Amino acid sequence: MNAISILGVPDKPQSLETGCHLLIVDDEARFRTAYKTLLAHEQRVIEEAENGQEALSKLKEGTIDLVILDLKLPDISGLEIMEWLTANKINTTVIVFSADKSINSAIHALRHRAFEFLRKDCDPDDMLLAVERALNHRQRDKEHASISAQLKHSERLHRFLVEQSPDIIFTLNKEGFFTFMNGRVYSLLGYEADELIGKHYSLIVDPRDYLHVQYAFKERRVGLRATSNKEVRFRVNPVSPKASSGSEITVILSTQGVYEAQDIGQTGRFVGTAGVARDISERKRAEETIAFQAFHDLLTKLPNRNLFMDRLEMAIVEASRRKEKLAVMFFDLDRFKLVNDTYGHPVGDQLLREFAARVRKCLRNGDTLARQGGDEFTVLLPSLAHRDDIAVIAEKIQAELHKPFRVSDTQFLATTSIGVAVYPDDATNAAELIRCADMAMYQVKGQGKNGCAAFLPHMQTSYLNRLSIENDLREAVKQGNQFELYFQPQMEALTGNATGLEVLIRWHHPKEGMISPDVFIPIAEETGLIVAISDWVLWKACSHFAALSALGFDHLRLGINLSPREFDRSDFLERIQVPLEEFGVPPQFLDIEITESLLMKDVESIVARIQRLRDTGVHISIDDFGTRYSSLNYLRRFSVNRIKIDQSFVRDLGLSQDSYAIIQAIVGIAQNFKLNVIAEGVETAQQLEILHQLGCNEMQGYFFSRPLPFEKTVEFLKTTPQHALGCP
């Protein structure tokens, strides 16, 4: 049977081909047709060529996978076509299918890279099998080429990843000498990679870590048991530019053994250790910063409350064991809030830092100075031989504080109130000891500040009273029914008419009775309760204004004093406007009284806020003018309407020429700035007459009326005669 005897197509063996392009080159059409029918397959594209030139034109495209080539063609030979394929580097598999039976033809064909040589009288199955072998061989070549390309790419990628890695990657031989090091080592340690090849790993390991990490650099284990994430310090090349930013870095090290390749299931010879070291210096610094912040005050860098408590507890244990005494000193910087309010927080912060530095100089090496918060500090004095030692240290601190502080071109004379408690005399645990020192400090504050006092049992009563007031004040704010507004009339001396009412708050304690604002307002400001109290005052005052308007007293101005803390809140303006709108109070009838210290605070911010408040129509008065840091500059910059002469100047009228001169100056300033002026604390006809002579016609004080509850205020307004009150 020959190849053109087409009696049927036998079953074809399984093929690896996934889509092939075949070319049958023969000058006889019947052979081409027979081959094409024989080799037909759904994944094959089969083309024909009847001569060499036609075959070359198709082969030039480079898309032919397999050519079945007759050696004898009418124009050029099949051998010439194969030579052309080789010369042009066209990778097409060739099966020679020839009628020439000479052995030389077969040898020549195979030498010209023919895959197989078949005679035309071969069995069709031979042709089919030869084509399958050729195509499968070609597919395997393609796969091999693809794998080789992938391996080369993988190797290049591996080298790229190793060299571009943010980590130090290295290998060591069995003796611990570097055999490979990637380039990252230069940017981290200042060594060239080649510089370390052949050097022992100890060259880069910090001597402090050498013993506990040497096994990691000789690691033989692999997998999960190998060294992982071991923290170690590496030394920076001391002669490299990198050394200028530090002598060491901290890394986490992972290593494992390296073995010669062996058959599966067998372990090869140990050849060394491979490792990766990741720089975690920044993370370590961040961790150290976080740890420092957890136990230190960021402003002064002193131990904070937590660390102080820990050291105190340890000191108490030690003192108990040794039968010794120790002391806690509790400091509070006097009038610090005034400095903060007047000059701003940056100046206040600098004062705290310098205060801490001075106190620290006065202490012994084993003593601990800590910042509790705000302007409060504590000192731990362990191992005291005598109680007298405490007084020596306290006197030394107070003497140091007698020297003025110079902060931001301003001098401050800072004083401090100091309370002292001694273990085991006053308390036997840390919390109680601090509390006793705190109570002693408050005793000093209550007696005029700037002093030192040791804890005595009776102080606990005063402390508890203050704590009780604070707790009761919170409850009063929550309930809202223990407060009452009082009103002190402000009078026009020439006419005797009431021009306004200063709003004052009173607290009716359910057990203690009437509590003065001088007692609870400072506590309210310290605890933040002042915000809720101010809201209550604003709403209640606006409600009373509406009631007075209904009675015909719609010309009166309401003077309300606001804490400087109110101006720090973002909702400050809204909290004033809402009650005004709710009760229909014209803004020009609300007079917000502010202190001079507020004007000295964050000037630009306060200017903007006061201006926004003035833009609504609300009036602004400066309370207690002349008692603190009076400045013509802020009278020019701030849009104020009125200044109030403090009662301390009014009280001395007729007794002190200085008060007369001061009031005369204040009135003159007010007139020059076109501001209204009102005097507080007028109690006698003589004071009224002198004020009138000095040009001050608006006044308030006991001479006219004490502060009155609302009902009494209404009665006063109804009965006030409309003529001059004692004025000539």
Side-chain angles (χ1 to χ4, degrees):
M1 183 183 297
N2 58 35
I4 62 173
S5 300
I6 308 301
L7 300 177
V9 180
D11 293 337
K12 300 172 184 175
Q14 185 176 4
S15 171
L16 295 174
E17 61 188 279
T18 59
C20 302
H21 201 166
L22 279 64
L23 175 63
I24 300 172
V25 183
D26 200 297
D27 58 343
E28 295 186 53
R30 61 193 181 97
F31 278 104
R32 296 195 304 272
T33 303
Y35 300 159
K36 189 171 184 178
T37 303
L38 178 68
L39 299 175
H41 190 283
E42 61 182 3
Q43 292 185 340
R44 294 175 185 169
V45 176
I46 301 177
E47 295 189 46
E48 302 176 26
E50 62 180 357
N51 55 54
Q53 290 300 331
E54 185 181 359
L56 291 177
S57 68
K58 294 181 181 291
L59 289 167
K60 282 179 182 177
E61 299 174 3
T63 59
I64 303 300
D65 295 299
L66 174 64
V67 59
I68 298 170
L69 180 64
D70 188 3
L71 291 180
K72 293 182 179 180
L73 297 171
D75 49 357
I76 58 176
S77 71
L79 292 177
E80 289 177 292
I81 291 175
M82 286 191 284
E83 289 174 353
W84 180 88
L85 287 171
T86 301
N88 287 277
K89 298 180 181 179
I90 295 176
N91 185 25
T92 298
T93 304
V94 179
I95 294 178
V96 173
F97 197 54
S98 175
D100 190 346
K101 297 183 179 180
S102 98
I103 188 64
N104 288 333
S105 296
I107 291 171
H108 281 302
L110 293 173
R111 283 180 177 174
H112 282 75
R113 55 166 264 188
F115 181 75
E116 288 202 23
F117 184 93
L118 294 177
R119 294 185 173 84
K120 287 188 176 182
D121 61 355
C122 72
D123 190 292
D125 285 348
D126 292 340
M127 170 62 79
L128 288 170
L129 292 172
V131 169
E132 291 293 342
R133 284 195 297 272
L135 292 175
N136 287 344
H137 185 271
R138 183 177 180 82
Q139 182 66 25
R140 282 192 292 271
D141 283 349
K142 285 183 178 180
E143 292 173 353
H144 177 73
S146 175
I147 291 171
S148 296
Q150 290 176 18
L151 287 173
K152 289 180 180 178
H153 174 73
S154 177
E155 183 180 355
R156 287 196 300 271
L157 179 63
H158 172 75
R159 287 187 176 276
F160 173 80
L161 292 176
V162 168
E163 288 303 323
Q164 299 301 318
S165 172
D167 305 327
I168 294 174
I169 300 175
F170 62 88
T171 58
L172 301 161
N173 63 17
K174 291 187 294 184
E175 287 73 35
F177 294 91
F178 290 112
T179 56
F180 171 80
M181 178 70 73
N182 71 340
R184 179 62 169 160
V185 72
Y186 180 76
S187 60
L188 292 181
L189 297 181
Y191 289 102
E192 296 287 352
D194 293 342
E195 191 178 351
L196 291 176
I197 302 302
K199 299 293 194 302
H200 196 263
Y201 68 83
S202 59
L203 176 67
I204 65 171
V205 176
D206 189 290
R208 293 169 293 178
D209 294 339
Y210 181 74
L211 288 177
H212 84 271
V213 297
Q214 59 180 334
Y215 73 88
F217 287 95
K218 298 178 180 179
E219 182 63 82
R220 289 173 172 263
R221 297 169 297 180
V222 296
L224 296 177
R225 298 180 59 213
T227 298
S228 178
N229 295 334
K230 183 73 175 177
E231 191 172 302
V232 59
R233 286 166 289 193
F234 279 177
R235 290 188 292 182
V236 173
N237 186 351
V239 297
S240 74
K242 178 70 178 173
S244 63
S245 58
S247 61
E248 65 183 45
I249 66 170
T250 303
V251 302
I252 49 172
L253 177 67
S254 297
T255 58
Q256 64 176 11
V258 178
Y259 294 83
E260 287 183 341
Q262 292 289 326
D263 294 335
I264 297 175
Q266 296 183 350
T267 301
R269 183 174 63 89
F270 173 70
V271 296
T273 301
V276 176
R278 171 162 294 182
D279 181 19
I280 60 166
S281 302
E282 288 296 330
R283 192 183 82 186
K284 286 292 291 182
R285 281 191 286 271
E287 289 174 354
E288 289 168 1
T289 299
I290 291 170
F292 183 86
Q293 291 175 351
F295 295 103
H296 291 81
D297 170 57
L298 298 184
L299 177 65
T300 61
K301 304 299 185 288
L302 295 175
N304 63 10
R305 182 186 292 109
N306 293 333
L307 183 55
F308 182 82
M309 182 66 76
D310 183 65
R311 290 185 181 177
L312 177 56
E313 288 172 348
M314 291 172 56
I316 288 174
V317 171
E318 190 69 13
S320 175
R321 187 175 65 84
R322 295 183 177 184
K323 307 299 182 187
E324 292 178 339
K325 294 183 183 294
L326 65 82
V328 169
M329 305 176 78
F330 204 112
F331 292 77
D332 186 274
L333 201 55
D334 298 331
R335 296 187 300 278
F336 175 73
K337 186 177 182 301
L338 179 61
V339 174
N340 243 1
D341 290 346
T342 303
Y343 294 95
H345 291 288
V347 172
D349 290 347
Q350 184 62 28
L351 179 60
L352 289 175
R353 283 191 288 265
E354 295 199 13
F355 171 83
R358 287 201 191 179
V359 172
R360 193 159 34 196
K361 288 194 306 183
C362 302
L363 303 177
R364 303 168 302 173
N365 288 335
D367 298 339
T368 297
L369 171 64
R371 186 184 179 201
Q372 294 289 310
D375 58 350
E376 294 181 337
F377 296 81
T378 50
V379 171
L380 167 61
L381 304 174
S383 304
L384 290 175
H386 306 285
R387 287 186 69 114
D388 294 343
D389 295 342
I390 305 170
V392 171
I393 294 172
E395 288 170 4
K396 189 176 179 182
I397 292 171
Q398 289 180 312
E400 184 67 28
L401 295 179
H402 283 158
K403 305 171 188 175
F405 290 89
R406 187 165 192 83
V407 181
S408 197
D409 296 327
T410 303
Q411 283 194 342
F412 298 95
L413 188 61
T415 60
T416 184
S417 300
I418 307 173
V420 179
V422 177
Y423 169 89
D425 303 1
D426 301 322
T428 55
N429 66 68
E432 282 297 312
L433 204 57
I434 293 174
R435 196 169 72 88
C436 289
D438 188 22
M439 285 187 274
M441 182 272 292
Y442 271 106
Q443 186 74 13
V444 175
K445 277 192 170 295
Q447 294 174 351
K449 306 177 181 179
N450 189 25
C452 178
F455 174 77
L456 295 172
H458 73 82
M459 294 179 181
Q460 187 154 356
T461 303
S462 301
Y463 181 84
L464 291 177
N465 286 341
R466 184 187 182 281
L467 192 60
S468 176
I469 290 174
E470 180 181 330
N471 292 334
D472 291 347
L473 185 59
R474 291 184 185 278
E475 187 63 26
V477 169
K478 183 178 178 181
Q479 292 181 5
N481 59 3
Q482 297 181 21
F483 298 117
E484 182 182 7
L485 291 187
Y486 274 52
F487 301 86
Q488 186 168 37
Q490 296 171 333
M491 311 299 293
E492 213 288 314
L494 289 177
T495 65
N497 291 331
T499 59
L501 300 169
E502 181 174 7
V503 179
L504 305 166
I505 188 171
R506 298 291 185 264
W507 179 17
H508 296 284
H509 192 282
K511 295 180 180 177
E512 304 297 330
M514 186 75 77
I515 295 182
S516 168
D518 293 338
V519 173
F520 71 86
I521 290 297
I523 297 175
E525 290 190 330
E526 182 182 332
T527 59
L529 292 171
I530 193 66
V531 174
I533 291 174
S534 295
D535 285 343
W536 184 89
V537 169
L538 282 165
W539 281 81
K540 199 69 175 177
C542 289
S543 169
H544 284 322
F545 181 91
L548 288 172
S549 295
L551 295 172
F553 302 108
D554 54 0
H555 64 287
L556 297 175
R557 194 177 57 247
L558 290 180
I560 298 179
N561 195 304
L562 289 185
S563 165
R565 293 188 60 169
E566 302 290 336
F567 287 79
D568 293 330
R569 294 178 59 89
S570 59
D571 60 351
F572 164 70
L573 193 60
E574 179 185 359
R575 289 173 46 239
I576 292 176
Q577 287 180 303
V578 171
L580 290 177
E581 294 171 359
E582 178 70 20
F583 294 100
V585 180
Q588 65 269 24
F589 287 104
L590 177 62
D591 192 8
I592 297 297
E593 298 181 4
I594 58 178
T595 60
E596 289 180 299
S597 60
L598 172 67
L599 303 181
M600 298 296 293
K601 201 176 176 186
D602 182 3
V603 176
E604 296 305 323
S605 172
I606 297 302
V607 165
R609 293 183 185 185
I610 289 181
Q611 188 57 55
R612 286 199 298 270
L613 187 58
R614 288 285 290 113
D615 290 343
T616 67
V618 172
H619 285 205
I620 304 293
S621 292
I622 301 177
D623 196 17
D624 302 334
F625 186 81
T627 59
R628 295 183 180 176
Y629 302 95
S630 303
S631 168
L632 299 183
N633 184 50
Y634 68 63
L635 285 180
R636 178 181 59 83
R637 296 191 61 192
F638 291 91
S639 302
V640 298
N641 303 89
R642 180 178 289 98
I643 55 179
K644 300 185 74 174
I645 300 172
D646 187 66
Q647 59 183 339
S648 61
F649 302 130
V650 174
R651 187 184 307 118
D652 292 339
L653 276 178
L655 303 175
S656 167
Q657 189 63 31
D658 290 343
S659 293
Y660 184 93
I662 290 171
I663 293 176
Q664 186 177 39
I666 292 173
V667 172
I669 290 170
Q671 290 173 346
N672 288 330
F673 280 92
K674 296 181 172 56
L675 302 177
N676 295 322
V677 64
I678 181 172
E680 298 178 299
V682 178
E683 297 183 354
T684 68
Q686 182 187 18
Q687 292 169 348
L688 183 149
E689 183 174 351
I690 295 173
L691 287 168
H692 177 66
Q693 291 172 356
L694 290 172
C696 176
N697 293 314
E698 194 171 0
M699 311 171 192
Q700 69 182 83
Y702 286 2
F703 181 76
F704 305 103
S705 173
R706 291 175 176 272
L708 303 169
F710 181 69
E711 293 78 9
K712 296 286 186 181
T713 301
V714 172
E715 292 178 11
F716 175 87
L717 294 173
K718 287 179 178 180
T719 59
T720 300
Q722 299 301 306
H723 53 77
L725 295 174
C727 295

